[in-house]
Amino acid sequence: MGVLESREDWKCPFLRNGFQAGGYDILCGLLFHDESSFLDLEQGSCRFDSPEFVRLLELCKKYGATGTNKERMDEDQCLALMREGEVVIEVASSEKGLAGYSIVMQGLGEEGHVVGFPTEEGSGSYVTSYSYGYLVVNAQTAYKEEIGKFFSLLLDYDNQLETDGKSVRMDVIRDSVYYNPQTERYELLCFSNIGNKVSKELALKPDGSTYLEEFLDFVESCQPVPNIPVQIRIIVYEEALPFFEGSKGAVETAEAIQSRVQLYLDERK
């Protein structure tokens, strides 16, 4: 927040996938990627009525895009704004493993760095599943042996080679990158079996090398997205929306969120 407050004339402080983020989008991006500041689920307590949260609300409203300035910018426009120092944060996401990460990093250039969301602990970089869920097993199941075999099958080296370049095994990711002498470029093996091999070209650094090592380090640093209960997200949305529309003050909004979220947490105890 200190960086935001250092200037009054940011052209585009928050970018997300080519769009200037709205106030509520900024709030969610900062709030729900670090539960330690205002929300303690283990202790069942929250501090949304704190001066810090009121300040966060005001900053999100001040620097968030409105309905009239949400036009999408192309990649060159986004990069130009970042290089001019007119962007505080760009939220980048990749759904295509190493291939997608390489495209993002190539676009950012040598001056771009992945820094993660502002957070009190960890890297601030997160991973989530395609369906926003995870495969879990009941600890009391009577079929642990069968489930173990199923997991082993999913994570088998050969099966992970057939994930379209999105393997969760570091050794498979590393082994999937190879130099193709015919194209004179590095490629990513996406699928391979007898008589059939599918690969794609990788976006490369200016010197022709890959972003493989950077990607592996990035993946190792990632944590699961904090599990914020849906009901808390709904409460924040319902109470914050009138504030961003201009019909409610920041202090009143913070107090309403605090009251409802704390009541929800108390009922869970």
Side-chain angles (χ1 to χ4, degrees):
M1 290 193 288
V3 176
L4 267 178
E5 293 173 319
S6 66
R7 282 178 53 182
E8 293 287 335
D9 59 345
W10 296 103
K11 289 183 181 178
C12 188
F14 285 87
L15 275 175
R16 189 183 191 103
N17 298 325
F19 290 94
Q20 183 174 349
Y24 179 73
D25 295 328
I26 298 172
L27 178 65
C28 289
L30 296 176
L31 183 61
F32 296 142
H33 286 86
D34 179 21
E35 65 180 57
S36 59
S37 296
F38 303 108
L39 182 64
D40 190 330
L41 293 174
E42 290 187 5
Q43 296 298 321
S45 63
C46 57
R47 48 187 295 269
F48 291 107
D49 56 350
S50 65
E52 292 83 5
F53 186 69
V54 172
R55 177 181 165 212
L56 177 61
L57 283 172
E58 292 171 339
L59 286 174
C60 290
K61 183 175 182 178
K62 180 177 180 179
Y63 293 108
T66 63
T68 59
N69 61 347
K70 283 189 175 182
E71 293 184 7
R72 195 179 197 285
M73 290 175 278
D74 61 32
E75 184 177 296
D76 290 339
Q77 289 175 304
C78 294
L79 289 174
L81 284 170
M82 283 190 284
R83 287 169 179 158
E84 292 168 6
E86 296 296 341
V87 177
V88 179
I89 296 173
E90 180 180 17
V91 179
S93 60
S94 173
E95 299 176 355
K96 299 180 180 179
L98 173 60
Y101 177 89
S102 299
I103 292 172
V104 171
M105 295 306 295
Q106 186 185 65
L108 291 175
E110 295 181 351
E111 300 172 353
H113 301 279
V114 176
V115 296
F117 284 88
T119 180
E120 293 184 0
E121 297 180 0
S123 67
S125 296
Y126 300 101
V127 62
T128 186
S129 72
Y130 179 79
S131 60
Y132 296 94
Y134 298 91
L135 183 61
V136 297
V137 176
N138 188 325
Q140 306 303 319
T141 181
Y143 303 99
K144 291 183 179 179
E145 183 177 350
E146 290 81 357
I147 292 171
K149 291 179 180 179
F150 176 63
F151 280 146
S152 296
L153 179 64
L154 287 178
L155 299 174
D156 176 75
Y157 184 93
D158 290 334
N159 286 334
Q160 285 288 304
L161 276 174
E162 300 180 11
T163 57
D164 193 28
K166 305 183 188 71
S167 174
V168 297
R169 286 183 53 158
M170 300 296 103
D171 58 340
V172 171
I173 296 172
R174 185 180 295 279
D175 293 347
S176 296
V177 177
Y178 69 98
Y179 183 78
N180 187 336
Q182 294 181 334
T183 62
E184 297 184 340
R185 289 182 60 91
Y186 284 98
E187 297 185 0
L188 178 68
L189 182 64
C190 300
F191 176 84
S192 179
N193 60 22
I194 299 176
N196 187 18
K197 181 177 180 180
V198 178
S199 61
K200 65 178 71 172
E201 290 188 353
L202 287 170
L204 303 174
K205 298 178 184 179
D207 63 4
S209 61
T210 73
Y211 292 95
L212 175 62
E213 297 303 328
E214 290 86 346
F215 177 70
L216 293 177
D217 289 342
F218 167 70
V219 172
E220 289 287 356
S221 75
C222 286
Q223 302 168 295
V225 174
N227 182 26
I228 308 298
V230 173
Q231 187 57 40
I232 292 180
R233 294 174 180 267
I234 292 174
I235 291 171
V236 172
Y237 174 79
E238 291 177 346
E239 298 297 341
L241 195 60
F243 166 71
F244 288 114
E245 291 176 343
S247 61
K248 201 173 182 180
V251 173
E252 181 185 1
T253 300
E255 290 175 347
I257 293 174
Q258 171 68 22
S259 176
R260 291 184 61 187
V261 172
Q262 189 59 62
L263 178 61
Y264 168 78
L265 294 173
D266 290 342
E267 291 175 345
R268 287 185 8 143
K269 293 180 180 178

